Amino acid sequence: MSTIGSSLEQEVVAKVPKGLFVDGAWRDASGGATLAVEDPSTGEALCEVADATPQDAMAALDAACAAQAEWAATAPRERGEILRRAYEAVVGRADELALLMTLEMGKPVAESRAEVLYAADFLRWFSEEAVRIEGRWATAPNGGMRMLTMRQPVGPCLLITPWNFPLAMGARKIGPAVAAGCTMVVKPAKQTPLSMLALAQILDDCGLPDGVLNVFTASSASATTGPLIDDPRLRKLSFTGSTEVGRQLMGQASRHVLRVSMELGGNAPFVVFEDADLDAAVDGAMVAKMRNIGEACTAANRFHVHASVADAFTEKLAARMDALKVGRGVEDGVQVGPLIDDDQRGKVRELVEDALERGAQAVVGGRELDGRGHFYAPTVLANVPGEARLLREEIFGPVAPIATFEREDEAIAAANKTEYGLVAYVFTRDLDRALRVIERLETGMVGLNQGLVSNAAAPFGGVKQSGFGREGGAEGIDEYLSVKYAAIRAG
Ligand code: NAP
């Protein structure tokens, strides 16, 4: 997309419904409260959206519960075709949705467009999976009975999503829930609700029956979702967000032994062996580190580079990082947008200062950028000592800390030295080593010689404190299905 004028920006924001989407209708919050959505590149308010009360949230759950039985009985093909139409509609409106996303979240428009297409892909993938929900028929080993298994929708779901991927994190929950025959209440992050509101309207336009999808926006996540999690009619909670909040929600969910899926934080190691193609490693590093301004759960959080190639890798990476154009994501050629807010920028600043105080060197960047918006300079830190906080904590910003290793075992131990286990990146040209290392990494996903793992057809998810459950792939729909088994007396 070329230069975007402010009238176009206003137009795409104006087009989005700002209310609560409950039982197929848009309504204001009871009491009429609203909350502001801000453009992180300017700090200015874009618009106001409804600020739901706990009663509004409960009305959304009521609608989901009322629609559940009929929706579960809807033909799988019909469910799939709604998703397929939504896929076409999202792709058809990709430019407009990308601009909207950039305005509320900050990432460059080209990256927003990539997210819109990635989100659409979940709708297409699960439109295809809706008709493949199968069971089994078997004879018991002793021949004494027949065993029938079937997979049925779990029931009404609560889906809570973060601000960093405002459309994709929702689409990869809504897609399988719709395909499986579940109804749902979605609560997007308060900082980036517009993409989700736009998607709700698209799904409505594409024929999703009233009550199947309900969306509310709220200034208080805990006050609005708490009563829903406590309600025994809710059967499933799927959460994407921080490990800290995930832990709290798991505690709440234990009361009614709710099914839960948790897509939580990450601390991805990016390991470069001495035999790696260094140019490919730097290309991969730019994607793994800088996609989404570093605000991704899959972001390479720390680089472990073999000592013999560390200087060359650092030099090449620093040159690429230094050349990046930082600015408002809607402007032509911008490759790095602002961080989501000043708290996030403050956290990045603190982690970088800690590393520098402990002896790391800033090869490029290492500072905030002046002016409006929450900008931080793309940064490469060399010789980062093992005790630096940013090797342990999720940075969520454009900062690449580089540490070195000498032996393969040492690299694997360093990579696994974290309570997180979402993804790891490995660069080597030695196939035996690659397989050995992949097997020993304690993560749910590995990128081998590439810096991007996300794909609607692949099972995305973590181990350890990065959570459990998988989104996408053949596995993704299982999160929304329960297995029922019937023991049948053989005649
Ligand atoms: P967050 O603070 O945990 O918030 C995520 C969502 O949970 C938001 O909708 C938030 O609402 C809501 N929330 C916050 N506190 C809550 C509570 N007490 N009860 C119920 N809901 C609550 O995370 P974030 O800062 O938005 O997102 C960044 C985190 O998400 C990072 O740690 C990142 O690694 C992780 N993430 C993981 C994946 C994955 O697939 N593993 C993908 C993307 C992001 P409000 O907006 O109102 O605060």
Side-chain angles (χ1 to χ4, degrees), residues 160-164 169 172 187-190 221-222 225 239-242 245 248-249 263-266 297 394 396 422 460:
I160 303 179
T161 58
W163 50 263
N164 62 342
M169 298 302 97
R172 71 185 194 183
K187 195 214 81 66
K190 62 175 171 291
S222 54
T225 61
F239 172 74
T240 299
S242 60
V245 173
Q248 278 177 40
L249 292 174
E263 297 285 351
L264 308 177
C297 51
E394 203 174 20
F396 246 52
L422 190 60
F460 187 105

mmCIF file of all heavy atoms in Angstrom, residues 160-164 169 172 187-190 221-222 225 239-242 245 248-249 263-266 297 394 396 422 460, ligand 1:
data_model
loop_
_atom_site.group_PDB
_atom_site.id
_atom_site.type_symbol
_atom_site.label_atom_id
_atom_site.label_comp_id
_atom_site.label_asym_id
_atom_site.label_seq_id
_atom_site.Cartn_x
_atom_site.Cartn_y
_atom_site.Cartn_z
ATOM 1 N N ILE A 160 -9.688 -15.584 25.273
ATOM 2 C CA ILE A 160 -9.073 -14.306 25.689
ATOM 3 C C ILE A 160 -7.784 -14.126 24.892
ATOM 4 O O ILE A 160 -6.937 -15.032 24.854
ATOM 5 C CB ILE A 160 -8.761 -14.311 27.206
ATOM 6 C CG1 ILE A 160 -10.044 -14.576 28.005
ATOM 7 C CG2 ILE A 160 -8.139 -12.985 27.634
ATOM 8 C CD1 ILE A 160 -9.834 -14.630 29.522
ATOM 9 N N THR A 161 -7.645 -12.963 24.251
ATOM 10 C CA THR A 161 -6.513 -12.771 23.339
ATOM 11 C C THR A 161 -5.680 -11.533 23.707
ATOM 12 O O THR A 161 -6.180 -10.596 24.322
ATOM 13 C CB THR A 161 -7.005 -12.646 21.880
ATOM 14 O OG1 THR A 161 -7.921 -11.548 21.785
ATOM 15 C CG2 THR A 161 -7.697 -13.909 21.418
ATOM 16 N N PRO A 162 -4.402 -11.527 23.292
ATOM 17 C CA PRO A 162 -3.494 -10.416 23.618
ATOM 18 C C PRO A 162 -3.473 -9.347 22.521
ATOM 19 O O PRO A 162 -4.097 -9.511 21.471
ATOM 20 C CB PRO A 162 -2.142 -11.114 23.691
ATOM 21 C CG PRO A 162 -2.233 -12.176 22.645
ATOM 22 C CD PRO A 162 -3.681 -12.600 22.572
ATOM 23 N N TRP A 163 -2.687 -8.294 22.759
ATOM 24 C CA TRP A 163 -2.649 -7.162 21.829
ATOM 25 C C TRP A 163 -1.635 -7.328 20.718
ATOM 26 O O TRP A 163 -1.653 -6.587 19.748
ATOM 27 C CB TRP A 163 -2.343 -5.862 22.584
ATOM 28 C CG TRP A 163 -1.139 -5.965 23.488
ATOM 29 C CD1 TRP A 163 -1.160 -6.212 24.836
ATOM 30 C CD2 TRP A 163 0.239 -5.892 23.111
ATOM 31 N NE1 TRP A 163 0.132 -6.299 25.314
ATOM 32 C CE2 TRP A 163 1.009 -6.098 24.279
ATOM 33 C CE3 TRP A 163 0.911 -5.669 21.905
ATOM 34 C CZ2 TRP A 163 2.398 -6.107 24.282
ATOM 35 C CZ3 TRP A 163 2.303 -5.671 21.900
ATOM 36 C CH2 TRP A 163 3.031 -5.884 23.083
ATOM 37 N N ASN A 164 -0.694 -8.278 20.850
ATOM 38 C CA ASN A 164 0.424 -8.247 19.898
ATOM 39 C C ASN A 164 0.076 -8.755 18.495
ATOM 40 O O ASN A 164 0.645 -8.293 17.514
ATOM 41 C CB ASN A 164 1.663 -8.937 20.479
ATOM 42 C CG ASN A 164 1.447 -10.392 20.784
ATOM 43 O OD1 ASN A 164 0.311 -10.854 20.888
ATOM 44 N ND2 ASN A 164 2.523 -11.127 20.927
ATOM 45 N N MET A 169 -4.450 -14.093 16.726
ATOM 46 C CA MET A 169 -4.631 -14.842 17.966
ATOM 47 C C MET A 169 -6.106 -15.193 18.175
ATOM 48 O O MET A 169 -6.428 -16.220 18.772
ATOM 49 C CB MET A 169 -4.090 -14.061 19.170
ATOM 50 C CG MET A 169 -2.607 -13.771 19.118
ATOM 51 S SD MET A 169 -1.551 -15.243 18.980
ATOM 52 C CE MET A 169 -1.240 -15.324 17.229
ATOM 53 N N ARG A 172 -7.226 -17.949 15.276
ATOM 54 C CA ARG A 172 -6.804 -19.338 15.463
ATOM 55 C C ARG A 172 -7.510 -20.011 16.638
ATOM 56 O O ARG A 172 -7.309 -21.195 16.884
ATOM 57 C CB ARG A 172 -5.287 -19.466 15.506
ATOM 58 C CG ARG A 172 -4.604 -18.939 16.696
ATOM 59 C CD ARG A 172 -3.093 -19.054 16.509
ATOM 60 N NE ARG A 172 -2.427 -18.853 17.766
ATOM 61 C CZ ARG A 172 -1.121 -18.827 17.919
ATOM 62 N NH1 ARG A 172 -0.336 -19.003 16.881
ATOM 63 N NH2 ARG A 172 -0.582 -18.641 19.087
ATOM 64 N N LYS A 187 -12.901 -12.124 24.309
ATOM 65 C CA LYS A 187 -12.483 -10.855 24.905
ATOM 66 C C LYS A 187 -11.105 -10.498 24.367
ATOM 67 O O LYS A 187 -10.090 -11.048 24.775
ATOM 68 C CB LYS A 187 -12.432 -10.940 26.436
ATOM 69 C CG LYS A 187 -12.373 -9.534 27.032
ATOM 70 C CD LYS A 187 -11.553 -9.418 28.293
ATOM 71 C CE LYS A 187 -10.085 -9.318 28.110
ATOM 72 N NZ LYS A 187 -9.569 -8.101 27.447
ATOM 73 N N PRO A 188 -11.086 -9.551 23.416
ATOM 74 C CA PRO A 188 -9.780 -9.115 22.899
ATOM 75 C C PRO A 188 -9.096 -8.196 23.909
ATOM 76 O O PRO A 188 -9.730 -7.704 24.839
ATOM 77 C CB PRO A 188 -10.143 -8.345 21.627
ATOM 78 C CG PRO A 188 -11.541 -7.853 21.853
ATOM 79 C CD PRO A 188 -12.211 -8.846 22.771
ATOM 80 N N ALA A 189 -7.807 -7.948 23.698
ATOM 81 C CA ALA A 189 -7.070 -7.029 24.570
ATOM 82 C C ALA A 189 -7.648 -5.621 24.441
ATOM 83 O O ALA A 189 -8.040 -5.205 23.351
ATOM 84 C CB ALA A 189 -5.599 -7.029 24.176
ATOM 85 N N LYS A 190 -7.653 -4.896 25.541
ATOM 86 C CA LYS A 190 -8.271 -3.560 25.495
ATOM 87 C C LYS A 190 -7.481 -2.577 24.628
ATOM 88 O O LYS A 190 -8.032 -1.611 24.127
ATOM 89 C CB LYS A 190 -8.494 -2.982 26.896
ATOM 90 C CG LYS A 190 -7.252 -2.763 27.716
ATOM 91 C CD LYS A 190 -7.623 -2.061 29.024
ATOM 92 C CE LYS A 190 -6.506 -1.979 30.030
ATOM 93 N NZ LYS A 190 -6.101 -3.245 30.632
ATOM 94 N N ALA A 221 -10.390 -6.603 32.628
ATOM 95 C CA ALA A 221 -10.454 -7.988 32.153
ATOM 96 C C ALA A 221 -10.908 -8.920 33.268
ATOM 97 O O ALA A 221 -11.764 -9.794 33.063
ATOM 98 C CB ALA A 221 -9.078 -8.413 31.650
ATOM 99 N N SER A 222 -10.355 -8.733 34.469
ATOM 100 C CA SER A 222 -10.659 -9.698 35.533
ATOM 101 C C SER A 222 -12.108 -9.575 35.997
ATOM 102 O O SER A 222 -12.780 -10.587 36.224
ATOM 103 C CB SER A 222 -9.696 -9.532 36.703
ATOM 104 O OG SER A 222 -9.719 -8.192 37.145
ATOM 105 N N THR A 225 -14.265 -11.191 33.033
ATOM 106 C CA THR A 225 -14.108 -12.612 32.699
ATOM 107 C C THR A 225 -14.255 -13.500 33.940
ATOM 108 O O THR A 225 -14.652 -14.663 33.809
ATOM 109 C CB THR A 225 -12.731 -12.911 32.049
ATOM 110 O OG1 THR A 225 -11.703 -12.566 32.987
ATOM 111 C CG2 THR A 225 -12.545 -12.130 30.759
ATOM 112 N N PHE A 239 -6.726 -19.292 26.343
ATOM 113 C CA PHE A 239 -6.077 -18.016 26.667
ATOM 114 C C PHE A 239 -4.750 -17.888 25.932
ATOM 115 O O PHE A 239 -3.956 -18.831 25.915
ATOM 116 C CB PHE A 239 -5.838 -17.949 28.183
ATOM 117 C CG PHE A 239 -5.001 -16.774 28.621
ATOM 118 C CD1 PHE A 239 -5.534 -15.491 28.644
ATOM 119 C CD2 PHE A 239 -3.670 -16.943 29.007
ATOM 120 C CE1 PHE A 239 -4.758 -14.398 29.044
ATOM 121 C CE2 PHE A 239 -2.889 -15.859 29.410
ATOM 122 C CZ PHE A 239 -3.441 -14.583 29.428
ATOM 123 N N THR A 240 -4.510 -16.738 25.340
ATOM 124 C CA THR A 240 -3.181 -16.397 24.839
ATOM 125 C C THR A 240 -2.763 -15.108 25.522
ATOM 126 O O THR A 240 -3.482 -14.105 25.462
ATOM 127 C CB THR A 240 -3.177 -16.203 23.306
ATOM 128 O OG1 THR A 240 -3.585 -17.416 22.694
ATOM 129 C CG2 THR A 240 -1.780 -15.845 22.808
ATOM 130 N N GLY A 241 -1.613 -15.159 26.169
ATOM 131 C CA GLY A 241 -1.139 -13.972 26.882
ATOM 132 C C GLY A 241 0.049 -14.335 27.745
ATOM 133 O O GLY A 241 0.747 -15.323 27.483
ATOM 134 N N SER A 242 0.257 -13.556 28.773
ATOM 135 C CA SER A 242 1.451 -13.752 29.607
ATOM 136 C C SER A 242 1.311 -14.971 30.512
ATOM 137 O O SER A 242 0.200 -15.364 30.885
ATOM 138 C CB SER A 242 1.673 -12.501 30.460
ATOM 139 O OG SER A 242 0.546 -12.290 31.282
ATOM 140 N N VAL A 245 -0.545 -14.103 33.882
ATOM 141 C CA VAL A 245 -2.018 -14.103 33.855
ATOM 142 C C VAL A 245 -2.537 -15.520 33.598
ATOM 143 O O VAL A 245 -3.530 -15.947 34.200
ATOM 144 C CB VAL A 245 -2.553 -13.095 32.809
ATOM 145 C CG1 VAL A 245 -4.070 -13.221 32.669
ATOM 146 C CG2 VAL A 245 -2.168 -11.669 33.191
ATOM 147 N N GLN A 248 -2.821 -17.371 36.803
ATOM 148 C CA GLN A 248 -4.000 -16.943 37.590
ATOM 149 C C GLN A 248 -5.274 -17.573 37.042
ATOM 150 O O GLN A 248 -6.128 -18.048 37.776
ATOM 151 C CB GLN A 248 -4.199 -15.436 37.450
ATOM 152 C CG GLN A 248 -3.358 -14.581 38.330
ATOM 153 C CD GLN A 248 -3.630 -13.099 37.990
ATOM 154 O OE1 GLN A 248 -4.761 -12.698 37.740
ATOM 155 N NE2 GLN A 248 -2.579 -12.325 37.969
ATOM 156 N N LEU A 249 -5.392 -17.563 35.710
ATOM 157 C CA LEU A 249 -6.609 -18.090 35.090
ATOM 158 C C LEU A 249 -6.741 -19.594 35.312
ATOM 159 O O LEU A 249 -7.846 -20.111 35.508
ATOM 160 C CB LEU A 249 -6.626 -17.763 33.592
ATOM 161 C CG LEU A 249 -6.781 -16.272 33.261
ATOM 162 C CD1 LEU A 249 -6.631 -16.032 31.772
ATOM 163 C CD2 LEU A 249 -8.129 -15.738 33.744
ATOM 164 N N GLU A 263 -1.695 -20.526 25.764
ATOM 165 C CA GLU A 263 -0.597 -20.118 24.862
ATOM 166 C C GLU A 263 0.088 -18.950 25.554
ATOM 167 O O GLU A 263 -0.405 -17.823 25.509
ATOM 168 C CB GLU A 263 -1.164 -19.679 23.510
ATOM 169 C CG GLU A 263 -1.882 -20.774 22.737
ATOM 170 C CD GLU A 263 -0.932 -21.776 22.096
ATOM 171 O OE1 GLU A 263 0.294 -21.539 22.092
ATOM 172 O OE2 GLU A 263 -1.418 -22.807 21.618
ATOM 173 N N LEU A 264 1.213 -19.226 26.213
ATOM 174 C CA LEU A 264 1.781 -18.225 27.126
ATOM 175 C C LEU A 264 3.098 -17.644 26.609
ATOM 176 O O LEU A 264 3.383 -17.697 25.429
ATOM 177 C CB LEU A 264 1.923 -18.858 28.508
ATOM 178 C CG LEU A 264 0.640 -19.528 29.038
ATOM 179 C CD1 LEU A 264 0.875 -20.195 30.383
ATOM 180 C CD2 LEU A 264 -0.510 -18.536 29.131
ATOM 181 N N GLY A 265 3.856 -17.094 27.522
ATOM 182 C CA GLY A 265 5.066 -16.369 27.132
ATOM 183 C C GLY A 265 6.160 -17.270 26.581
ATOM 184 O O GLY A 265 6.084 -18.501 26.646
ATOM 185 N N GLY A 266 7.193 -16.637 26.044
ATOM 186 C CA GLY A 266 8.315 -17.386 25.480
ATOM 187 C C GLY A 266 9.640 -16.725 25.822
ATOM 188 O O GLY A 266 9.682 -15.596 26.323
ATOM 189 N N CYS A 297 5.550 -13.740 20.987
ATOM 190 C CA CYS A 297 5.921 -14.815 21.916
ATOM 191 C C CYS A 297 7.003 -15.687 21.295
ATOM 192 O O CYS A 297 7.768 -16.328 21.989
ATOM 193 C CB CYS A 297 4.693 -15.645 22.254
ATOM 194 S SG CYS A 297 3.818 -16.196 20.781
ATOM 195 N N GLU A 394 11.372 -12.325 29.155
ATOM 196 C CA GLU A 394 10.876 -12.009 27.820
ATOM 197 C C GLU A 394 11.103 -10.510 27.563
ATOM 198 O O GLU A 394 10.617 -9.672 28.320
ATOM 199 C CB GLU A 394 9.373 -12.334 27.804
ATOM 200 C CG GLU A 394 8.814 -12.601 26.455
ATOM 201 C CD GLU A 394 7.344 -13.053 26.520
ATOM 202 O OE1 GLU A 394 6.656 -12.813 27.526
ATOM 203 O OE2 GLU A 394 6.892 -13.626 25.514
ATOM 204 N N PHE A 396 10.366 -8.637 24.607
ATOM 205 C CA PHE A 396 9.232 -8.037 23.887
ATOM 206 C C PHE A 396 9.599 -6.673 23.307
ATOM 207 O O PHE A 396 8.878 -5.681 23.477
ATOM 208 C CB PHE A 396 8.003 -7.940 24.812
ATOM 209 C CG PHE A 396 6.883 -8.821 24.341
ATOM 210 C CD1 PHE A 396 7.098 -10.165 24.084
ATOM 211 C CD2 PHE A 396 5.599 -8.318 24.134
ATOM 212 C CE1 PHE A 396 6.076 -10.993 23.640
ATOM 213 C CE2 PHE A 396 4.565 -9.137 23.679
ATOM 214 C CZ PHE A 396 4.816 -10.479 23.441
ATOM 215 N N LEU A 422 8.627 -22.418 24.331
ATOM 216 C CA LEU A 422 7.727 -22.268 23.183
ATOM 217 C C LEU A 422 8.431 -22.683 21.888
ATOM 218 O O LEU A 422 7.998 -23.617 21.215
ATOM 219 C CB LEU A 422 7.233 -20.813 23.102
ATOM 220 C CG LEU A 422 6.102 -20.561 22.105
ATOM 221 C CD1 LEU A 422 4.872 -21.387 22.451
ATOM 222 C CD2 LEU A 422 5.736 -19.081 22.060
ATOM 223 N N PHE A 460 0.829 -25.143 16.661
ATOM 224 C CA PHE A 460 1.565 -24.091 17.364
ATOM 225 C C PHE A 460 1.328 -24.250 18.858
ATOM 226 O O PHE A 460 0.186 -24.346 19.305
ATOM 227 C CB PHE A 460 1.038 -22.726 16.899
ATOM 228 C CG PHE A 460 1.818 -21.551 17.411
ATOM 229 C CD1 PHE A 460 2.685 -20.859 16.582
ATOM 230 C CD2 PHE A 460 1.684 -21.132 18.728
ATOM 231 C CE1 PHE A 460 3.411 -19.778 17.052
ATOM 232 C CE2 PHE A 460 2.401 -20.053 19.204
ATOM 233 C CZ PHE A 460 3.264 -19.366 18.370
HETATM 234 P P1 NAP B 1 -1.618 -10.296 29.171
HETATM 235 O O1 NAP B 1 -1.374 -9.091 29.970
HETATM 236 O O2 NAP B 1 -1.508 -11.613 29.827
HETATM 237 O O3 NAP B 1 -3.054 -10.104 28.520
HETATM 238 C C1 NAP B 1 -3.602 -11.012 27.605
HETATM 239 C C2 NAP B 1 -5.104 -10.939 27.650
HETATM 240 O O4 NAP B 1 -5.551 -11.330 28.956
HETATM 241 C C3 NAP B 1 -5.678 -9.542 27.418
HETATM 242 O O5 NAP B 1 -6.913 -9.667 26.752
HETATM 243 C C4 NAP B 1 -5.875 -9.041 28.838
HETATM 244 O O6 NAP B 1 -6.873 -8.043 28.955
HETATM 245 C C5 NAP B 1 -6.347 -10.304 29.522
HETATM 246 N N1 NAP B 1 -6.134 -10.296 30.963
HETATM 247 C C6 NAP B 1 -5.185 -9.644 31.669
HETATM 248 N N2 NAP B 1 -5.341 -9.900 32.992
HETATM 249 C C7 NAP B 1 -6.417 -10.708 33.106
HETATM 250 C C8 NAP B 1 -7.089 -11.310 34.216
HETATM 251 N N3 NAP B 1 -6.690 -11.140 35.465
HETATM 252 N N4 NAP B 1 -8.166 -12.089 33.949
HETATM 253 C C9 NAP B 1 -8.597 -12.282 32.695
HETATM 254 N N5 NAP B 1 -8.005 -11.740 31.614
HETATM 255 C C10 NAP B 1 -6.914 -10.977 31.813
HETATM 256 O O7 NAP B 1 -0.632 -10.396 27.917
HETATM 257 P P2 NAP B 1 -0.331 -9.277 26.842
HETATM 258 O O8 NAP B 1 0.617 -8.312 27.450
HETATM 259 O O9 NAP B 1 -1.580 -8.781 26.227
HETATM 260 O O10 NAP B 1 0.393 -10.157 25.709
HETATM 261 C C11 NAP B 1 1.731 -10.427 25.725
HETATM 262 C C12 NAP B 1 2.002 -11.826 26.255
HETATM 263 O O11 NAP B 1 1.299 -12.775 25.463
HETATM 264 C C13 NAP B 1 3.452 -12.197 26.142
HETATM 265 O O12 NAP B 1 3.869 -12.846 27.307
HETATM 266 C C14 NAP B 1 3.472 -13.148 24.952
HETATM 267 O O13 NAP B 1 4.560 -14.050 24.950
HETATM 268 C C15 NAP B 1 2.168 -13.827 25.089
HETATM 269 N N6 NAP B 1 1.748 -14.417 23.812
HETATM 270 C C16 NAP B 1 1.781 -15.770 23.681
HETATM 271 C C17 NAP B 1 1.438 -16.354 22.480
HETATM 272 C C18 NAP B 1 1.468 -17.845 22.310
HETATM 273 O O14 NAP B 1 0.866 -18.320 21.369
HETATM 274 N N7 NAP B 1 2.140 -18.591 23.173
HETATM 275 C C19 NAP B 1 1.044 -15.554 21.419
HETATM 276 C C20 NAP B 1 1.018 -14.181 21.579
HETATM 277 C C21 NAP B 1 1.371 -13.621 22.806
HETATM 278 P P3 NAP B 1 -6.471 -6.492 28.983
HETATM 279 O O15 NAP B 1 -6.179 -6.131 27.589
HETATM 280 O O16 NAP B 1 -7.660 -5.815 29.509
HETATM 281 O O17 NAP B 1 -5.290 -6.369 29.890
#
